[in-house]
Amino acid sequence: MRRSGTPGTAIAEARLRGQAVGPAPGPVACEDEPVLTTLFSLPSTTALDVNDEGALLVLYDGSGTRQVHHVAPDGTWRALTALDDTVRGARFVPESSKVVVEHDDGGSELGQLSLLDLDEPGLPTLTPLVHDPEYVHHLVDAKPGRVLFTTNRRNGTDFDLVAHDLGSDRDMALYDGGGWVMGVAPSPDDKWVVLSLASAPANSIQLLLVDTGTRSVTELTPYDAHNDQAAVSWLPDSTGFLVSTNADRDRMALRRYDLGDRAWNDVLVDDSRDLAGWASPNGEDLLVGVLHDGEVSLALHRLDDGSEVAPVGLPPGGCAGLLMLTPDPHWSPDGSFAAITYSSPVCPPTVFRYVPASGELLAVRPPEMPEPPAQLTHPESLLVPSFDGEQVPVFVFRPTGPDLGTTIVHVHGGPEGAAMRNWVPVVSALAADGHTVVVPNVRGSAGYGKRWYSLDDRELRLDSVKDLAAIHAWLPTIGSDPKRSALWGGSYGGYMVLAGLAFQPELWAAGVDIVGIASLVTFLENTSDYRRAMREREYGYLATDREFLESASPLNRVDDIRAPLFVIHGANDPRVPLSETEQVSDALTKRGVPCQVLVYDDEGHGLAKLKNKLDAYPKALTFLRDHLVS
C-alpha cells in the first residue's frame, strides 16, 4: 500500500497552523469572485445505471460531494446517500429493491461496497457488503443475487474479479490470474466475462475471455502487443461483443468478436478519427461515438449492418462518451432509451435521456439545478509547431473577463489522458479572471492516434516538456506576452508544471502544481503497489532505468527553479504521495523561492469536495494575479 516519507518541515508546520506554505498572498484578489464561486459551485449529473422500470441511478454533487440519487420514471428525484466523502459508483441489483454503492474515505480510492434498500423510507441505511479498508474494491456490475467487483486484497498488487453471492454472503473468484484488471464486461447471459488487463507495452490493454462456469481463460489479444482497447459492449444474444480497438492501426476502430467462430471483424473504421459503439439490448440499435479533436459526437446506427440512422441531437462542441475519457452511455434493459452523460466547455456534466424511436432528447436535472453563466465560450482549435516538426494541438480560451494580458498553459494529467472539449471549471475560471488559457494535447496525449500518444514513452519523456517550450515561443502569434505566462496542471500535468519550471526556468513566470510528480524515482518507489507495475511501463523501470528516471525528474533540477510555485495536494493521495510535494516545497523554501502549499487532510488525488475547491482555487487565482499582473 502507499508509503509516504516524513512530512517536509515547512508543510508539517503549516498544517499544524492550518496555513499555506510560503509568503502570505498579496493584496490583489480576484475581481470577479462571484463568477468564480458560481463556476466551481455549478453541480453536475452523471448516469450510473438504468433498471427494468426505467428508473435511473445518477451521481449528483449539489451537496458539495458526489452522491447517489434515484430518478423515478416520472422524473421524481430522491437522494440515496449523504456521505461526507464522494461516492464512486452504484448499480441496481436486478430482481430486488437493493442498490450496491461504492464509496471511499477521504479520497483514498480504497473503494468499499455497501447495500441500501429502496423500500426503506427516507434516506436509506448503508449496510456494509464488502469492506476492508486496506484494499481497493471496485464495483463492476450487479446481477440477480450477486455483485461483481474487482479487488487487490489477495496481495495488494494484482486485481482479481470476484462474485459476491448476496444469499450466502460468500465470495468466489472468477479470475485471479494476476495483473491490473482495468475493465470488466459480463455477457447478458452471465456465462462470459471480457477482462481488460493492463499489458506489457505502455498504454496497452490485453483482452481476456473468462468462462464464468469453468473459470477458464482465453487470450483474445496478445499480452505484448501495442494495442489499446476500450468500450466493450456485448451483443444482446451473447454471441459476441463490440470493442473499440487500435489493433493493427493508428486509430480506434469499432470491431466485433464472434464467440462461434472465434473471429474478429471490422464494423466501422475511420483512419482519421476514433470510434466506439454501444449495442442496445433490443438487438436493433447501436450508439456510435466519434472522437475528433477533443469533441465526441454520438449517432444512432443499425446494429445489424452498422449503417447510420440519425445523429443524436446533442449540442455540438462537447463530449458524450468514448475511450474511458468520458462516461459511457447506459441503455435501459429494454432498449427503449439510453442515459447519456454530456458535457462541454459551456455545460457541466448533464444526463440526457435519449429515445431512439422518436429522437427525443431530454435533460435529466433536479429542479434546483442552476444554469451556467452566459459568458462561457468554446475554444479555438489551433496547431503549434514543435522542435522536431510535429504539430501540437491546442485549445485556446480567450478571456471572458477584463483582459489581464496574461496566459496560463493548462496541462492535462495522464500522461495518456487528453484535454477534451468538456467541462473544466478551472479553465473557465481562469478565462473569467482575465487570462488567455492555452490547453494543449502535448505528445503522449490520447485522442490523436497511437503514434502521437507513444511519442513520450520512456526515454522520450522530456520531448513532451519541449512541447511546452514550443508553445511558449508560439504565444506571440495569438497576441500573448510570453513573459507573462504561467503553467498549471494536475497529476502528470503537475509533473509537466514542475518540469517546465525546472528545465525551462527562463521561460515561465509562475506555476500551479496540483498533486504533481517531483521525482519519477520517488514517485515509483512510494506510489501504491498496484499502480507501480503499470506506471513503470510508461515511465521506465526502477531496476533498469533509474539513471534516466533521475535525469527526467524536476527534483534533480530544483535548484534551477526560480519562478514562484503554488501547490495543492490531498493527504490521502494513493497515486502521487504527499511526499512528492514535501520534497519540492522543502527544496524551494530553503532557497527562498516563493512556494505556497495547501494540503487537505480529507482529499486524495485532487480536490473532490466543493468546500476545498472554494478554498483552494480562488487562492491559486490570486497567486497568479500577484505574480503575473504588473
Side-chain angles (χ1 to χ4, degrees), residues 389-404:
E390 296 285 355
Q391 301 280 311
V392 181
V394 300
F395 303 133
V396 178
F397 291 81
R398 299 294 183 174
T400 56
D403 193 342
L404 298 176

Side-chain angles (χ1 to χ4, degrees), residues 170-182:
R170 293 179 179 175
D171 290 343
M172 181 179 71
L174 300 181
Y175 171 81
D176 56 6
W180 188 346
V181 177
M182 304 186 71

Side-chain angles (χ1 to χ4, degrees), residues 178-201:
W180 188 346
V181 177
M182 304 186 71
V184 181
S187 63
D189 63 8
D190 211 18
K191 294 180 179 179
W192 306 94
V193 173
V194 175
L195 300 183
S196 301
L197 194 75
S199 54

Side-chain angles (χ1 to χ4, degrees), residues 151-220:
T151 178
N152 66 339
R153 66 189 181 191
R154 177 165 53 85
N155 59 18
T157 301
D158 296 312
F159 279 81
D160 301 336
L161 173 62
V162 178
H164 181 90
D165 187 273
L166 295 175
S168 65
D169 205 30
R170 293 179 179 175
D171 290 343
M172 181 179 71
L174 300 181
Y175 171 81
D176 56 6
W180 188 346
V181 177
M182 304 186 71
V184 181
S187 63
D189 63 8
D190 211 18
K191 294 180 179 179
W192 306 94
V193 173
V194 175
L195 300 183
S196 301
L197 194 75
S199 54
N203 306 322
S204 295
I205 297 293
Q206 180 188 29
L207 293 182
L208 303 179
L209 181 67
V210 179
D211 184 318
T212 60
T214 65
R215 298 178 57 203
S216 62
V217 178
T218 303
E219 292 189 355
L220 300 180

Side-chain angles (χ1 to χ4, degrees), residues 522-537:
T522 58
F523 159 70
L524 290 172
E525 289 175 338
N526 295 324
T527 191
S528 298
D529 294 340
Y530 66 90
R531 297 193 64 84
R532 183 179 307 107
M534 186 180 73
R535 281 310 177 204
E536 283 190 313
R537 298 180 180 112

Side-chain angles (χ1 to χ4, degrees), residues 482-502:
K483 295 181 181 179
R484 304 173 70 194
S485 60
L487 295 170
W488 179 305
S491 190
Y492 179 76
Y495 164 83
M496 292 289 282
V497 169
L498 296 175
L501 299 188

Side-chain angles (χ1 to χ4, degrees), residues 199-203 414-416 454 456-462 492 495 517 519-527 531-553:
S199 54
N203 306 322
E416 68 283 358
S454 302
D456 71 338
D457 290 349
R458 308 282 284 280
E459 68 277 0
L460 301 177
R461 178 63 42 209
L462 292 179
Y492 179 76
Y495 164 83
I517 301 168
S519 167
L520 293 172
V521 171
T522 58
F523 159 70
L524 290 172
E525 289 175 338
N526 295 324
T527 191
R531 297 193 64 84
R532 183 179 307 107
M534 186 180 73
R535 281 310 177 204
E536 283 190 313
R537 298 180 180 112
E538 169 74 25
Y539 297 121
Y541 291 85
L542 288 168
T544 57
D545 302 309
R546 184 176 289 264
E547 183 177 353
F548 166 72
L549 292 169
E550 293 280 9
S551 70
S553 294

